[in-house]
Amino acid sequence: MGYVAAKGGTEAILNAERLVEYFRLRGGTPAISVAQIRDQLRLAVDRAMSEGALYAPDLAALALKQSEGDAIEASFLLRAYRSTVPRLAISLPASGESMRAFRRISASFKDIPGGQMLGPTRDYQLRLLNSLLLDESTESVRTTLAEIAQMVATQPETEEVGRFPKVAARMRAEGILANPPDAELAERYQQKPYDLTRNAISFPAPRSARLQMLARGDVGSLLTYAYSSVRGYGDAHPTLGELRYGALPVEVSHPQSGEAYGVGDIMVTECEIVSKIHTTDAADEAANGATSRPKFGLGYGFTFGHNEVKAISMAILDRVLSAAREGTLAGERGPSADEEFVLQHVDGIEASGFTAHYKLPHYVDFESNMTVLERAVQHTAAHTAQDTERKQQVLKRLESADSADPANHQ
Amino acid sequence: MEPAPETAMDTHDTSNLRTDALAELLAPPDPQAKLYNFGYIDEDSKREIRRKLLKAVSIPGHQIPFASRDLPIARGWGTGGLQITLAIIMPEDTLKVIDQGDDDSVNAVNLRRLISTTTGVATTVETQAASIVQTRHRIPEEPMRSDQILVLQVPMSDPLRWVEPAVEKATEMHGEADYGTMWVYMYESVVQSGDLKIATQYPVMVEDRYLMDTTPIPRHDVPRLHQAQMLSLFGAGREKRVYAVPPHTRVVPMEFEDFRFKTEHRPDQACERCGAEWTFLTRTWVLDPGLSATGHWSYQCSDTNYCNQRYARGHRPRSRASEGTPSDAQ
């Protein structure tokens, strides 16, 4: 006993793995199928794909099943898998305009070209627990689906359904929204965009690196930064220019002919934030300086799947970071206006990994820390002793001075 | 992929290793494992890491950014060291993995399992038998040779993090060898605490040029990097940096002329098991024989293999040599 207290590591981790399986299954209820998770836990699947940076709904559903629904663990599983997958091609730049939208709204105008389309949203749902779901059955699912199918059948399916012009394009045409700087436009058409998985990020970061980092970021972290910004710590005063969710076609160029080929659609959320902080077109400012025309600035958000809070947060942060760099951010600055601070801390997988690593043994470090602590204790004790001695000497001197003073003997 | 050879552990001191469980861990890789490349990471990424390592060796102590792939081990759990090992390991290598100096620590076991499953290389607990030693928080007590490589897992790659958390600014400070704030930090810690407050992760100057983070190795190990025979490679996966101390490199801890660097060493302490008086010791709570309610802190070598070897050769603490050690009673 005793001497080898911390041993048996191998056996312990094997048993721990078995126990995890037991805890996942110990309720004894029927196993959830990966298809059920994919279809009915759509938003959890979307979050795992977004933060795992891999668009693979079935694998994301598997990861969620394996991780008992832990969002960060599921995205970590996808990330780890992702790094084993060969990179066959890089897609051609895709524009949100080519999206077939299921939902599309703007808060900046009452009506917009193409109109507002609410689509699948809980925004105006009363948040009451729905007890009917307690007894949901295969039959009730079928009935509900049949009812909705009848509603949908009355609407003609055409190519135009779900196609909308961009609100931002309209604003640019009206001269109220700044164009992206030339450097960023050039970046967009580079053969290989900046890729954080192939290059370590350095600061100041190119905007494509910033957007990639935010798009892979943990929704909670993005939300915290964006929220702190709009509460006043470096606010870009956002208005929601446009938010859309839908199917975005992905194209790659043919390796021989160079022709664009569609390889499929991905479901994505896209958000454009218009900031009331005035900015200018880079070209205009270069030519006209202070007399250049003031415009609104744009922040961009994009995520795999359906995650509006993340897309909005990302767009706000993008705008705040751009404004901070331009020096146009008005009022107080906060952490969310510090590019390095935001980008170094938004990755949920890195943040959770490091925070959790404190569970690893640290007894060598701790022993070393204790040595230094003991020295500090001795140091303080020695100082205190010195102080006390000095005080006593002073007191003694005062006392003897007192007794020598005839005034005290009256 | 070749099947995993018989583990070298079976033939060495295994007093604290469960060989039955190890055999299960190191069994020939299952067909699933063939999905992955030798050493898990793809060859292009390995090459990138090796190129960055060459650069790191050329500029001792200087942090080199690298892409840092995602691994099936969490960030912060040794992914930097792991990527270096996986990038340099060859089928003929013999690998030792330790955490806190211990081959059988849960984390060491887990990392060894990943490397072993994806490469099939032989593993060992003996420092002398290893061609690559991957470690967290310790340098093995036995001096390593020039044909051996030490791979250290690094949590925080930048020694300036104490005084300048922004990487952009710290990079500039390194560029200009501007270490004034760090000297002030060290000075203040002496004034406040009577010692340089940094315990592990002690900052060192490498070849009089770059300030380098020594990872949380204890101070005991810091002088052992100086003019060492082996090549030391440092990997920080989450921070995406590698750096190196090539053999015969000057590594000098930050200290003042009138306040010298001190290790943790206490002359009155020796390993309660093998009697070594010069090793780094950690404490373990030991119940007194026969009395389950009382016990004491027992100080023992944190390098378990070193301690085992000495113990096997009959070394015992001086004071207890005659009466036998508690472990004899087990």
Side-chain angles (χ1 to χ4, degrees):
Chain A
M1 264 216 60
Y3 251 53
V4 286
K7 301 297 169 193
T10 308
E11 208 177 12
I13 62 174
L14 286 172
N15 285 335
E17 280 176 6
R18 296 295 294 164
L19 265 178
V20 164
E21 279 305 275
Y22 172 68
F23 269 70
R24 188 173 68 81
L25 299 171
R26 67 176 175 166
T29 47
I32 321 172
S33 76
V34 167
Q36 280 176 306
I37 296 172
R38 182 198 59 211
D39 294 343
Q40 294 179 43
L41 297 181
R42 176 177 63 99
L43 300 179
V45 166
D46 285 355
R47 181 177 170 191
M49 292 195 301
S50 167
E51 293 172 25
L54 185 75
Y55 194 92
D58 286 320
L59 294 181
L62 171 63
L64 279 163
K65 178 177 160 111
Q66 191 178 328
S67 64
E68 300 179 69
D70 183 323
I72 289 183
E73 182 69 22
S75 34
F76 174 28
L77 284 167
L78 287 184
R79 277 264 184 106
Y81 173 73
R82 182 189 194 277
S83 80
T84 69
V85 185
R87 181 163 303 204
L88 298 177
I90 292 173
S91 72
L92 294 169
S95 163
E97 194 161 15
S98 60
M99 179 193 290
R100 189 166 183 135
F102 291 15
R103 162 166 166 77
R104 184 255 193 168
I105 54 165
S106 170
S108 43
F109 301 105
K110 184 176 178 184
D111 206 358
I112 41 175
Q116 310 260 13
M117 182 167 81
L118 221 44
T121 179
R122 287 186 173 78
D123 286 351
Y124 304 101
Q125 221 176 42
L126 300 176
R127 263 57 168 215
L128 302 170
L129 279 174
N130 181 0
S131 56
L132 293 175
L133 295 186
L134 287 171
D135 300 319
E136 204 170 28
S137 64
T138 315
E139 284 94 292
S140 71
V141 169
R142 257 189 229 128
T143 314
T144 310
L145 284 177
E147 281 169 14
I148 295 172
Q150 258 191 333
M151 284 167 64
V152 174
T154 61
Q155 296 182 356
E157 173 86 354
T158 65
E159 257 308 293
E160 283 70 46
V161 172
R163 308 278 180 197
F164 297 100
K166 296 300 293 278
V167 174
R170 175 91 196 180
M171 290 179 173
R172 286 210 176 91
E174 285 176 15
I176 58 169
L177 187 67
N179 288 315
D182 290 348
E184 283 174 17
L185 284 174
E187 236 186 296
R188 179 177 157 195
Y189 293 108
Q190 277 167 4
Q191 279 288 305
K192 286 185 180 177
Y194 195 96
D195 186 350
L196 293 168
T197 66
R198 293 294 189 272
N199 305 287
I201 193 166
S202 60
F203 298 96
R207 182 150 175 252
S208 62
R210 175 205 297 171
L211 293 174
Q212 186 187 11
M213 197 85 183
L214 294 174
R216 291 157 58 100
D218 165 60
V219 58
S221 310
L222 260 68
L223 177 61
T224 304
Y225 285 130
Y227 179 53
S228 74
S229 144
V230 295
R231 273 198 72 255
Y233 289 89
D235 191 5
H237 300 278
T239 302
L240 191 108
E242 183 170 355
L243 176 73
R244 44 169 80 188
Y245 163 67
L248 184 71
V250 177
E251 294 179 323
V252 297
S253 72
H254 190 280
Q256 261 97 49
S257 68
E259 251 178 281
Y261 276 86
V263 289
D265 289 354
I266 55 173
M267 297 302 294
V268 301
T269 310
E270 188 193 48
C271 177
E272 275 151 339
I273 281 292
V274 177
S275 160
K276 78 174 181 187
I277 286 180
H278 296 170
T279 178
T280 47
D281 285 333
D284 187 11
E285 186 167 343
N288 303 311
T291 62
S292 54
R293 182 193 166 105
K295 292 181 172 185
F296 293 138
L298 184 120
Y300 187 74
F302 179 94
T303 82
F304 282 162
H306 198 179
N307 193 336
E308 299 181 4
V309 159
K310 180 169 174 181
I312 295 168
S313 300
M314 174 174 166
I316 290 172
L317 287 171
D318 177 43
R319 187 60 220 143
V320 168
L321 294 175
S322 289
R325 190 182 289 179
E326 290 161 9
T328 53
L329 199 62
E332 286 299 316
R333 294 168 68 104
S336 57
D338 181 333
E339 180 182 69
E340 187 177 327
F341 194 88
V342 172
L343 299 188
Q344 291 278 40
H345 300 125
V346 290
D347 193 292
I349 290 153
E350 294 190 343
S352 67
F354 195 62
T355 307
H357 109 281
Y358 290 104
K359 290 184 278 186
L360 284 175
H362 280 82
Y363 52 84
V364 163
D365 322 34
F366 196 69
E367 194 62 50
S368 180
N369 292 345
M370 278 196 281
T371 311
V372 176
L373 180 69
E374 279 160 22
R375 286 176 192 168
V377 168
Q378 285 161 12
H379 176 78
T380 313
H383 260 268
T384 314
Q386 253 180 15
D387 275 2
T388 317
E389 205 184 304
R390 263 190 227 133
K391 265 182 209 155
Q392 279 169 348
Q393 282 171 356
V394 172
L395 280 174
K396 261 185 210 160
R397 232 184 294 144
L398 287 175
E399 273 171 27
S400 54
D402 275 356
S403 52
D405 187 348
N408 285 339
H409 296 285
Q410 281 178 345
Chain B
M1 184 180 294
E2 288 171 41
E6 291 263 314
T7 163
M9 285 180 184
D10 294 340
T11 58
H12 295 304
D13 182 298
T14 55
S15 61
N16 54 20
L17 287 172
R18 294 294 304 258
T19 44
D20 51 347
L22 262 178
E24 196 180 326
L25 278 184
L26 302 179
D30 60 9
Q32 191 80 18
K34 284 180 185 161
L35 287 172
Y36 301 110
N37 191 28
F38 175 85
Y40 188 81
I41 307 172
D42 65 274
E43 291 302 318
D44 282 346
S45 299
K46 283 192 200 170
R47 177 182 294 178
E48 191 244 357
I49 297 166
R50 288 194 295 261
R51 283 178 173 166
K52 300 293 162 64
L53 287 172
L54 283 174
K55 191 170 173 185
V57 169
S58 312
I59 317 172
H62 179 46
Q63 302 165 61
I64 314 294
F66 80 113
S68 193
R69 306 305 306 272
D70 288 288
L71 296 178
I73 300 280
R75 288 285 202 216
W77 292 58
T79 56
L82 204 48
Q83 286 181 82
I84 291 179
T85 300
L86 294 171
I88 63 172
I89 201 164
M90 305 283 279
E92 58 270 25
D93 271 312
T94 305
L95 174 77
K96 172 180 166 81
V97 183
I98 47 172
D99 186 330
Q100 316 291 298
D102 190 342
D103 297 272
D104 196 30
S105 169
V106 275
N107 190 45
V109 167
N110 203 35
L111 297 183
R112 186 188 304 119
R113 166 164 75 157
L114 175 68
I115 304 167
S116 187
T117 314
T118 57
T119 63
V121 299
T123 59
T124 181
V125 296
E126 281 188 14
T127 304
Q128 292 305 315
S131 54
I132 300 174
V133 177
Q134 180 171 329
T135 177
R136 176 168 169 265
H137 299 189
R138 275 311 313 273
I139 296 176
E141 297 288 354
E142 279 172 284
M144 287 174 67
R145 302 182 308 268
S146 57
D147 61 335
Q148 294 179 300
I149 298 176
L150 180 67
V151 178
L152 294 103
Q153 301 167 203
V154 180
M156 293 292 182
S157 55
D158 202 317
L160 292 175
R161 201 61 60 84
W162 302 97
V163 293
E164 180 47 74
V167 174
E168 189 179 350
K169 184 75 177 64
T171 307
E172 204 177 291
M173 289 163 73
H174 281 292
E176 294 167 356
D178 171 12
Y179 299 132
T181 32
M182 195 65 199
W183 283 110
V184 172
Y185 179 87
M186 302 297 270
Y187 170 76
E188 284 177 346
S189 75
V190 172
V191 174
Q192 287 165 4
S193 306
D195 193 4
L196 301 155
K197 230 188 302 185
I198 300 171
T200 55
Q201 224 175 333
Y202 200 91
V204 291
M205 282 300 288
V206 180
E207 287 292 328
D208 300 325
R209 177 58 185 84
Y210 284 104
L211 191 67
M212 189 187 89
D213 186 300
T214 51
T215 88
I217 54 172
R219 292 182 182 189
H220 171 87
D221 287 341
V222 169
R224 302 170 62 236
L225 283 168
H226 177 61
Q227 299 293 3
Q229 297 282 317
M230 77 287 188
L231 166 65
S232 298
L233 301 174
F234 298 76
R238 191 180 39 80
E239 297 283 334
K240 302 173 185 66
R241 296 288 185 279
V242 291
Y243 53 96
V245 174
H248 311 291
T249 299
R250 260 180 302 152
V251 177
V252 181
M254 283 185 94
E255 60 180 356
F256 298 99
E257 273 175 16
D258 54 349
F259 199 96
R260 293 295 179 183
F261 165 84
K262 275 184 289 192
T263 67
E264 297 86 351
H265 186 66
R266 276 172 37 182
D268 57 322
Q269 277 185 343
C271 172
E272 202 174 301
R273 186 157 172 267
C274 77
E277 289 163 0
W278 51 88
T279 56
F280 185 79
L281 306 173
T282 53
R283 62 183 91 185
T284 313
W285 183 252
V286 179
L287 294 174
D288 292 334
L291 299 164
S292 58
T294 61
H296 71 285
W297 284 114
S298 160
Y299 285 86
Q300 294 172 37
C301 301
S302 96
D303 184 337
T304 52
N305 177 249
Y306 186 73
C307 193
N308 287 342
Q309 287 186 342
R310 282 179 48 81
Y311 190 81
R313 279 191 232 112
H315 293 286
R316 298 290 183 277
R318 264 188 237 169
S319 54
R320 289 169 180 261
S322 52
E323 55 189 270
T325 67
S327 56
D328 288 337
Q330 283 171 36

